[in-house]
């Protein structure tokens, strides 16, 4: 476990705008990514995560520009994921101003990518994103999905988490597709199971709806808590979340 818990707003970006849906569907426009990132930085966010949710070639070029514009105004770590398929993509994102890079679908398609990125840039640069659904088809009851939660694989989520850590992932972003956007709270069972096996930091994602949802995720084993909807809507600020964690005796940055 890390000493201080991080609070991370997540911005899902498509065609230069921040969007948010429920269970990764029915996306709504939530604003300008640079403006939102700056707001969260001013609120005390520890990091910002950008996910390019429609990482076509055109959107990818837009994303580089967004990352650069954000890095000029926001002086906390930026993690960028979506459409990262090669070490060259990582190099370009880092050159644009990203500090860490998130990888998901491409690593499932070609697991060697994890080691290639870690070997070239260091494990600390690589955040392995796990988009997880509950499924009776795997031993753990959890399956990994690709393409923003739309495509289920046959891969057991916990077995995959173990493999990517062995291959060099520096951090796991554990996102519950079932909880995503529902505001019903994090999938605490999932967070706990990943924590048990993980030797690297675990970021809990998916389901935050109220200020009281964050401390249980930390208790379940999260080193960082990530949310989108509650921040974009203005229902909660980063400060609100940190205050609630402090009230539970949890050390935050």
């Amino acid at each position: 476990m890390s000493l201080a818990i991080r609070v991370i707003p997540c911005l899902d970006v498509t065609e230069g705008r921040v969007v948010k849906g429920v269970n990764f569907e029915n996306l709504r426009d939530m604003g300008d990514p640079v403006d939102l990132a700056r707001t969260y930085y001013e609120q005390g966010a520890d990091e910002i995560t950008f996910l390019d949710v429609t990482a076509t070639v055109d959107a990818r070029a837009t994303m580089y520009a967004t990352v650069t514009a954000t890095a000029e105004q926001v002086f906390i770590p930026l993690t960028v994921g979506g459409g990262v398929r090669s070490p060259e993509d990582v190099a370009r994102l880092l050159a644009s101003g990203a500090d860490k890079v998130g990888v998901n679908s491409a690593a499932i398609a070609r697991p060697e990518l994890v080691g290639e990125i870690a070997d070239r840039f260091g494990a600390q640069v690589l955040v392995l994103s796990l988009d997880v659904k509950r499924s009776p088809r795997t031993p753990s009851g959890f399956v990994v999905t690709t393409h923003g939660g739309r495509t289920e694989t046959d891969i057991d989520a916990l077995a995959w988490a173990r493999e990517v850590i062995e291959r060099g992932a520096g951090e796991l972003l554990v996102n519950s597709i079932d909880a995503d956007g529902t505001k019903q709270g994090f999938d605490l069972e999932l967070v706990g199971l990943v924590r048990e096996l993980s030797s690297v930091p675990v970021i809990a994602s998916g389901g935050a709806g109220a200020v009281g949802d964050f401390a249980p995720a930390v208790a379940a084993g999260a080193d960082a808590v990530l949310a989108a909807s509650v921040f974009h809507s203005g229902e909660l600020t980063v400060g609100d979340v940190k205050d609630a964690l402090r009230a539970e005796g949890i050390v935050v940055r």
Side-chain angles (χ1 to χ4, degrees):
M1 286 286 289
S2 60
L3 296 174
I5 299 301
R6 290 168 288 148
V7 178
I8 307 174
C10 180
L11 288 75
D12 295 330
V13 180
T14 182
E15 295 170 0
R17 300 291 291 177
V18 175
V19 295
K20 191 64 196 140
V22 176
N23 309 124
F24 279 36
E25 296 178 346
N26 303 318
L27 301 178
R28 304 186 309 281
D29 188 297
M30 304 300 285
D32 177 74
V34 182
D35 290 346
L36 281 170
R38 188 171 59 242
T39 296
Y40 300 142
Y41 169 59
E42 291 166 355
Q43 287 179 6
D46 299 302
E47 299 180 13
I48 299 286
T49 293
F50 282 125
L51 295 179
D52 185 344
V53 291
T54 52
T56 61
V57 175
D58 294 343
R60 170 58 57 198
T62 306
M63 196 65 186
Y64 290 126
T66 298
V67 172
T68 299
T70 303
E72 289 168 356
Q73 301 181 34
V74 173
F75 306 104
I76 51 178
L78 300 177
T79 299
V80 185
V84 176
R85 298 180 181 90
S86 68
E88 289 66 41
D89 290 338
V90 176
R92 190 167 170 199
L93 280 168
L94 296 177
S96 297
D99 298 280
K100 301 190 243 182
V101 173
V103 178
N104 177 10
S105 301
I108 291 170
R110 197 172 68 81
E112 296 78 20
L113 178 63
V114 177
E116 291 168 7
I117 294 171
D119 290 347
R120 180 164 162 188
F121 304 102
Q124 78 285 349
V125 163
L126 180 56
V127 179
L128 208 295
S129 191
L130 304 164
D131 287 342
V132 179
K133 272 185 177 172
R134 288 177 175 267
S135 170
R137 294 185 294 116
T138 61
S140 71
F142 293 96
V143 68
V144 175
T145 69
T146 63
H147 302 89
R150 289 187 288 275
T151 306
E152 284 193 31
T153 69
D154 294 316
I155 300 170
D156 185 287
L158 298 188
W160 178 237
R162 278 193 200 89
E163 180 177 343
V164 296
I165 291 167
E166 288 170 7
R167 288 181 179 272
E171 204 161 14
L172 300 181
L173 171 54
V174 182
N175 187 37
S176 167
I177 301 296
D178 302 306
D180 174 72
T182 63
K183 301 188 180 179
Q184 299 296 305
F186 294 93
D187 188 328
L188 302 178
E189 182 189 3
L190 175 61
V191 173
L193 288 169
V194 176
R195 171 76 277 155
E196 282 176 23
L197 66 85
S198 180
S199 56
V200 301
V202 174
I203 305 166
S205 168
V211 74
D213 288 337
F214 294 89
V218 175
D223 300 277
V225 285
L226 179 147
S229 306
V230 289
F231 292 140
H232 303 339
S233 64
E235 291 168 72
L236 295 178
T237 66
V238 173
D240 294 335
V241 173
K242 290 193 169 187
D243 288 345
L245 292 173
R246 285 190 194 100
E248 296 291 332
I250 294 166
V251 179
V252 294
R253 292 194 177 178

